[in-house]
Amino acid sequence: RAKQDGRNSFRFFAQEMQEHSLRSLQLSAALKDALSNDQFHLVYQPQLSLTDNAIVGAEALLRWEHPEWGAISPAEFIPLAEQNGLIVKIGEWVLQQVATQQKQWLSKGLPEIIVAINISALQFHQQNLVERISNIIQEAGVSPSNIEIELTEAVALKDPEVAGKTIDALSQQGFKVSIDDFGTGYSSMSYLKRFAVHKLKIDQSFIKDIVTDIDDQAIVTAIIQMAHSLHKTTIAEGVETQEQLEFLKEKGCEEIQGYWYSRPLVTEQFEVFLTTNKSNKAVEVSVP
Ligand code: C2E
Ligand code: MG
Ligand code: MG
Ligand code: MG
């Protein structure tokens, strides 16, 4: 009986593997036409300043809507685009899109905010990255100071010598640079000292249980303190409740991003958010 179960579960496993890789192959192939077929769009997730009780920025997040398969999560397709190299083109499209959008918002007289963009390893380590980014921003007529570049620890530490120079150059040009999913990668503290990084984005896995889990509380408190000692700011990701927000505010975390403040919004919704200033919601927040 046990043997049979084992065989069945192996068969099931093998079948699942096959389906998994088949889907990966299909998605990877479909990605090749996604840009030219206009299947991508961006959503913007507002970021709240806990010191000003106002929106300070937004993160641009990529969405892929396939005509047959529907919405496909970036957690699934970004790694595939990274593998097949398309992420470089896709990443440039994202930047182009964000820059054009920002220019439009400025001409519409909407409040000026910083928009953060995720840069993957392959894109970050390409030749002339800084020049390419600068050109796109300049052509759109947007200031680099309105753009934030998000890198994960893994990206930054892949080749620390080169990464350090690129980050410094970005910073020199006026771009903001932040470390995404902070605390989940190989955390080499020495790079924080050497790299011209402005902000640490505390990973949502530490925020999830922060109200009850004393280990998460200790880690997040330490990250915030360390960031401040190094003259960097912090933003907490995945904040979903008022209790989480209050803990973070009390510890001196400057900004939050998460469903509590807003889900990622399509452009039209985001413009409404910007104009009606939903940050009023946060005015009620007070920490004793
Ligand atoms: P990330 O950069 O860490 O983005 C944050 C993710 O957390 C987003 O998932 C966002 O929708 C989600 N999130 C925000 N607030 C909450 C919350 O309160 N609760 C929960 N449970 N989740 C929340 P999303 O949009 O599915 O993106 C997943 C990842 O895909 C991103 O993680 C990023 O690594 C990658 N990604 C997204 N867009 C791009 C892009 O344009 N380029 C690159 N290279 N990667 C991207
Ligand atoms: Mg990010
Ligand atoms: Mg993140
Ligand atoms: Mg993440």
Side-chain angles (χ1 to χ4, degrees):
R1 177 101 175 69
K3 205 174 169 186
Q4 184 143 19
D5 275 359
R7 206 187 302 146
N8 280 342
S9 66
F10 173 73
R11 198 175 294 155
F12 181 68
F13 175 67
Q15 192 184 338
E16 211 175 47
M17 280 267 295
Q18 220 168 36
E19 278 169 11
H20 176 76
S21 52
L22 180 62
R23 179 169 163 89
S24 296
L25 283 172
Q26 285 174 326
L27 290 181
S28 183
L31 270 173
K32 297 194 171 73
D33 302 317
L35 261 185
S36 48
N37 290 344
D38 219 18
Q39 291 167 4
F40 288 124
H41 70 274
L42 293 177
V43 287
Y44 296 88
Q45 186 171 36
Q47 299 171 327
L48 171 70
S49 160
L50 294 179
T51 45
D52 300 345
N53 281 326
I55 184 168
V56 275
E59 179 174 5
L61 293 159
L62 189 57
R63 294 292 177 259
W64 180 21
E65 194 78 35
H66 189 273
E68 265 175 69
W69 310 323
I72 297 147
S73 163
E76 187 173 16
F77 75 78
I78 295 285
L80 297 175
E82 175 94 7
Q83 275 168 38
N84 68 19
L86 284 170
I87 193 67
V88 175
K89 258 189 149 172
I90 295 173
E92 290 200 346
W93 178 86
V94 169
L95 187 66
Q96 178 90 56
Q97 199 73 11
V98 164
T100 312
Q101 189 60 258
Q102 261 189 334
K103 183 69 190 171
Q104 231 182 69
W105 286 335
L106 284 177
S107 53
K108 280 186 181 178
L110 291 168
E112 205 167 329
I113 55 151
I114 294 170
V115 177
I117 290 164
N118 295 283
I119 302 278
S120 76
L122 201 64
Q123 192 185 2
F124 184 71
H125 289 283
Q126 73 178 312
Q127 289 286 310
N128 312 328
L129 172 87
V130 182
E131 212 183 310
R132 297 170 84 104
I133 292 186
S134 297
N135 284 343
I136 293 175
I137 296 302
Q138 235 168 37
E139 269 170 40
V142 170
S143 161
S145 60
N146 286 346
I147 302 286
E148 179 176 319
I149 304 293
E150 291 193 9
L151 310 167
T152 61
E153 289 163 287
V155 172
L157 293 173
K158 204 174 174 194
D159 186 347
E161 276 318 310
V162 177
K165 287 197 179 107
T166 305
I167 291 172
D168 287 347
L170 284 169
S171 184
Q172 205 84 53
Q173 293 282 315
F175 294 99
K176 309 273 190 311
V177 182
S178 60
I179 301 293
D180 201 0
D181 305 345
F182 186 78
T184 59
Y186 292 99
S187 293
S188 161
M189 297 302 156
S190 62
Y191 82 91
L192 281 182
K193 190 177 103 181
R194 288 188 285 124
F195 292 3
V197 165
H198 300 90
K199 195 192 287 186
L200 304 183
K201 298 196 76 176
I202 306 170
D203 191 65
Q204 57 187 62
S205 61
F206 301 115
I207 307 301
K208 198 168 157 281
D209 300 321
I210 200 162
V211 177
T212 50
D213 188 319
I214 57 169
D215 296 329
D216 286 335
Q217 290 177 356
I219 290 167
V220 169
T221 306
I223 292 174
I224 295 168
Q225 282 172 0
M226 179 187 64
H228 291 172
S229 305
L230 296 171
H231 309 290
K232 303 182 193 312
T233 61
T234 52
I235 179 165
E237 293 191 274
V239 175
E240 296 185 354
T241 70
Q242 174 109 12
E243 290 72 31
Q244 293 170 332
L245 183 154
E246 274 165 17
F247 178 90
L248 291 158
K249 188 168 181 173
E250 194 198 302
K251 296 301 175 190
C253 181
E254 286 85 355
E255 297 169 16
I256 59 149
Q257 179 183 337
Y259 298 162
W260 183 85
Y261 186 46
S262 173
R263 292 194 171 248
L265 306 171
V266 295
T267 305
E268 298 75 27
Q269 292 174 324
F270 185 72
E271 289 179 1
V272 172
F273 191 98
L274 266 181
T275 31
T276 57
N277 206 349
K278 286 256 179 49
S279 58
N280 294 340
K281 188 179 174 187
V283 173
E284 296 150 28
V285 175
S286 64
V287 175

